[in-house]
Amino acid sequence: MPLTLLQECLDPPAGMLGRKNLKQAGCIAFGSEQQHYCLHCCRKKKSASRADVVTVGDSWLGPAIKAGYLQPLQDVDSFRWWDCLAPHWRRLVTRNLSGQADPKGQVWAVPYRWGCTLVAFNTNKLCRRGGVPIHDWSDLLQPCLKGRVAFLDSPRELVGVALKTLGLPYNCTYSQLCKSHVSLQQLQQRLQHLRDQVRLFSSRDHTRALAANDVWAIVGSSLDLIPLASRSSNISITAPVSGTALWADLWTVPAHASGGSQMQGPSPLLPAWFEFALQPSRMQPSRGLQLGASPLQLPGHLSSSQKEHDVVSSSEWASQLIDGVMPEKETLMRSEFLLPLDQDTIAMYQKLLSV
């Protein structure tokens, strides 16, 4: 009995959340228009309707569940692959029917790789203009970097970085903000300061801008920045020490999967596939984050039955990341997956981005 796989990453087109949208808050990443477009890109293809399993980025897991495009995984407690997943991973993939993280919900996905948001910067340009090497998010606010930063095309990342510079987590909710030492006005001012530093909002052209010296620092995915830095001795990369945003690619089962008995229901081979994807033998520690790392390689996110794999700890951030080694263990333990926002927090984001 065959197992049909379809690798479709449900990510928004790069032009959909452009600089104008970020600057003027014409739309935000969790808007229904973007979700509608992206969640249909897999369903439109005939091959998708026959697939037993498809890949989804963790940021689109919630919208895909809410739209009814996926089905929950059954009897996960009876399979060995579930025992391999640490509590943090289990929380990421356990959702209610609205797509919100819910410990009482069902399991909807299996992670197979992860990465994180990094910062790359031109060492020569920065130091010659009186700047200091970037080690944390607040270093992006240096005066010499005004108008010299390229940023991911993501309002969640932009507001998240503003929160991090104020000592708050990426996933800080409106309720948590009200109880913190930071006011909404202070967050608004910090967000505006960060915007003033940014010359370009793009998830596609940011690396080109750094290579062309149009900007001196960029915020982007590890998949994009590590190859860029490996091609140039002038470019260094760092994982901000206060923690960064994590992302994951997940295996999910389409709502109309029909690879099972008599072409009804999902394939019975799925548990074996999930277990294969999570085998320790499939890890490649030497490659680190270059192509995405195994879920078993995320320090602080391991199950009690697993042995933590060594994570190199050194001040030589750039050379280690370029060579494929992970960021420091402490940094990764302070990092977060971006979870769905509640309605009050969405309203806060809309207010912040509308100014």
Side-chain angles (χ1 to χ4, degrees):
M1 181 180 296
L3 178 66
T4 305
L5 309 177
L6 180 65
Q7 188 162 351
E8 288 284 355
C9 187
L10 298 183
D11 288 329
M16 183 165 284
L17 297 174
R19 181 182 181 187
K20 179 179 180 181
N21 291 332
L22 278 170
K23 286 286 189 180
Q24 301 180 6
C27 62
I28 49 182
F30 36 76
S32 59
E33 181 180 351
Q34 286 72 29
Q35 293 174 358
H36 180 80
Y37 182 97
C38 300
L39 294 174
H40 273 77
C41 68
C42 180
R43 201 174 190 182
K44 284 179 180 179
K45 298 186 177 182
K46 292 182 179 179
S47 57
S49 63
R50 297 195 300 267
D52 295 304
V53 62
V54 299
T55 64
V56 173
D58 66 293
S59 60
W60 290 108
L61 178 62
I65 293 171
K66 187 174 182 179
Y69 295 159
L70 304 176
Q71 61 176 287
L73 308 181
Q74 304 297 325
D75 302 321
V76 295
D77 292 332
S78 62
F79 298 112
R80 287 184 295 179
W81 64 262
W82 181 247
D83 293 332
C84 293
L85 293 182
H88 286 256
W89 285 114
R90 294 187 183 191
R91 285 194 289 270
L92 180 67
V93 300
T94 304
R95 308 289 179 97
N96 58 30
L97 294 177
S98 297
Q100 297 290 324
D102 185 349
K104 297 181 179 180
Q106 296 172 291
V107 178
W108 296 82
V110 180
Y112 69 91
R113 70 171 182 173
W114 64 274
C116 64
T117 299
L118 300 174
V119 179
F121 56 97
N122 187 314
T123 309
N124 292 342
K125 291 284 187 181
L126 191 58
C127 294
R128 287 177 183 175
R129 298 303 176 93
V132 298
I134 297 172
H135 293 292
D136 208 351
W137 294 114
S138 58
D139 293 327
L140 291 174
L141 302 175
Q142 299 178 66
C144 65
L145 283 177
K146 185 173 182 178
R148 291 292 183 177
V149 177
F151 212 93
L152 282 169
D153 201 356
S154 167
R156 277 298 301 272
E157 290 274 5
L158 182 67
V159 177
V161 170
L163 288 165
K164 292 296 289 184
T165 63
L166 292 168
L168 298 173
Y170 260 96
N171 287 307
C172 181
T173 64
Y174 176 70
S175 175
Q176 291 170 334
L177 181 68
C178 292
K179 298 176 183 177
S180 73
H181 63 282
V182 178
S183 67
L184 186 59
Q185 183 180 7
Q186 288 175 305
L187 177 57
Q188 179 68 72
Q189 292 172 347
R190 182 55 56 88
L191 182 62
Q192 186 57 53
H193 188 180
L194 187 59
R195 278 174 159 172
D196 292 341
Q197 302 294 94
V198 178
R199 180 172 182 174
L200 172 70
F201 287 100
S202 174
S203 298
R204 177 175 295 177
D205 297 325
H206 58 330
T207 55
R208 299 177 189 175
L210 183 64
N213 292 323
D214 292 332
V215 298
W216 300 343
I218 59 174
V219 177
S221 169
S222 52
L223 291 180
D224 297 325
L225 301 198
I226 292 177
L228 174 68
S230 67
R231 297 192 295 266
S232 175
S233 60
N234 293 330
I235 297 177
S236 300
I237 51 178
T238 183
V241 294
S242 63
T244 186
L246 302 173
W247 55 262
D249 285 333
L250 315 168
W251 290 116
T252 60
V253 180
H256 302 292
S258 56
S261 177
Q262 298 180 352
M263 302 307 290
Q264 294 180 1
S267 171
L269 298 178
L270 284 176
W273 174 254
F274 296 149
E275 185 172 335
F276 170 74
L278 289 171
Q279 285 181 351
S281 60
R282 289 183 52 79
M283 293 190 302
Q284 298 179 321
S286 63
R287 303 192 69 168
L289 296 177
Q290 290 185 41
L291 299 175
S294 165
L296 304 184
Q297 290 176 269
L298 186 56
H301 295 66
L302 300 176
S303 65
S304 57
S305 62
Q306 295 170 355
K307 179 181 178 180
E308 288 202 21
H309 298 269
D310 291 335
V311 178
V312 175
S313 175
S314 170
S315 59
E316 299 296 329
W317 291 90
S319 61
Q320 291 194 16
L321 284 172
I322 293 171
D323 292 340
V325 181
M326 298 287 182
E328 292 185 359
K329 172 182 175 180
E330 291 76 13
T331 297
L332 291 174
M333 293 182 68
R334 298 186 195 106
S335 301
E336 309 164 62
F337 289 104
L338 300 185
L339 299 176
L341 303 175
D342 58 47
Q343 291 302 312
D344 289 340
T345 308
I346 290 177
M348 180 184 74
Y349 271 61
Q350 291 172 331
K351 183 177 180 179
L352 289 170
L353 295 167
S354 64
V355 177

